[in-house]
Amino acid sequence: MNILDLDLCLKIEKKAMNSSSSSWVDSLDLNASSTKSLQLETTVSHPNTSNSLIVFGRKLSVKEESGTLMEELNRVNAENKKLTEMLKAMCESYNALQSQLVDLMNKNTEKELSPTKKRKSETSNNNNGNIIGNSESSSTDEEESCKKPREEIIKAKISRAYVRTELSDTSLVVKDGYQWRKYGQKVTRDNPCPRAYFKCSFAPSCPVKKKVQRSVDDQSVLVATYEGEHNHLPPSQIEATSGSSRLGSVPVGSTPVKSSGPTITLDLTNSIKSSDEARNSKPKLDSPEATQYLVEHMASSLTKDPNFTAALAAAISGRMFSTNSN
DNA sequence: CGCGTTTGACCTGCGC
DNA sequence: GCGCAGGTCAAACGCG
């Protein structure tokens, strides 16, 4: 929350209401320690006399005028102080809410990731009961992680998508807009349904792998686990930008909606690895980077949104009016 | 014939 | 060190 923004808005708000109120000051400085910018609308300097002022047609002595000024100054200072306190309280509430949001999202992320035991994390992840996709990730260097396969698994960007399919559909295919090549299938201990292993076959150098397995709890739900980051754009985007027809037969698109039933899916495969990709795609919705991005974006949007600041200014000025009328 | 899938064997890491 | 389980490889197979 930017105090300067609020100050500016208050000034604008005040000017808009000038016609209906004559007791306002031209400039409202929210910094309680400073009264430099304070100007009183009701005082007008007389061009001929330096020691006296004409207020509402009545000539006042310097003593009377200074008394009036001091009174006005004290009143405005009191208002200023109240405003500052209100703003401070609002900022505290905002920060508390924001930290609460971040904590909540971090807890969800930690729940997903057990950092020491890969296999155990798999087991616990399968039982979290979430239908909407979730993921965990950490910033990593792909080249470094290639040297240490185990660390790669831990550090690699891992995301998860849940897709509802027909029970009769045994294909274990999750259409997410990318091109996959199946390289293995295994029946795991904790799940009687086989797990299929896929590699991204669109780009030979693409390190992304995908595991697809039916959920233990609900076998109509396919759990797709993505590991790593694509070092290329989705085929759908490349096709759209280049106009190439080579991929015409590839089922593309991030919304694999089946006509026979409801399908819930998330395209979690957008990469934020390179700046070029970051420009072309949004960060993953459920990664910590995305969380941070989301929080910052929300805060930025709120402070930059003229509607929000105007509403805030209106609320504060309304409060001030009620204070003045008392 | 080329490409993708299947499937059993092999490799690797972890727990006991 | 051994056994177990997950992950990967690669030859065999099927399809267009």
Side-chain angles (χ1 to χ4, degrees), chain A residues 136-150:
Chain A
E136 62 278 351
S137 65
S138 59
S139 58
T140 178
D141 186 354
E142 288 289 338
E143 291 175 6
E144 185 180 299
S145 56
C146 283
K147 296 173 185 173
K148 301 174 182 177
R150 169 148 178 80

Side-chain angles (χ1 to χ4, degrees), chain A residues 133 159-163 174-178 180 226 230 234-237 253-256 264-271 282-286:
Chain A
S159 59
R160 185 159 297 181
Y162 297 80
V163 180
V174 176
K175 297 174 184 176
D176 51 18
Y178 287 91
W180 300 97
Y226 299 89
H230 291 279
S236 53
Q237 285 189 27
S254 58
T255 54
I264 304 169
T265 185
L266 288 176
D267 186 356
L268 300 171
T269 54
N270 285 339
S271 170
K282 293 176 180 178
K284 293 183 181 180
L285 286 174
D286 43 12

Side-chain angles (χ1 to χ4, degrees), chain A residues 35 52 59-60 69 75 93 98 102 114 132 138 147 173 211 228 250 252-253 265 272 284 287 293 300-301 310 318 325:
Chain A
T35 55
S52 65
K59 194 172 183 178
L60 299 174
L69 270 179
R75 189 181 61 78
S93 301
Q98 185 172 332
V102 171
S114 177
I132 304 299
S138 59
K147 296 173 185 173
V173 171
K211 291 180 286 187
V250 179
V252 295
T265 185
I272 55 173
K284 293 183 181 180
S287 69
Y293 170 83
S300 167
S301 297
S325 62

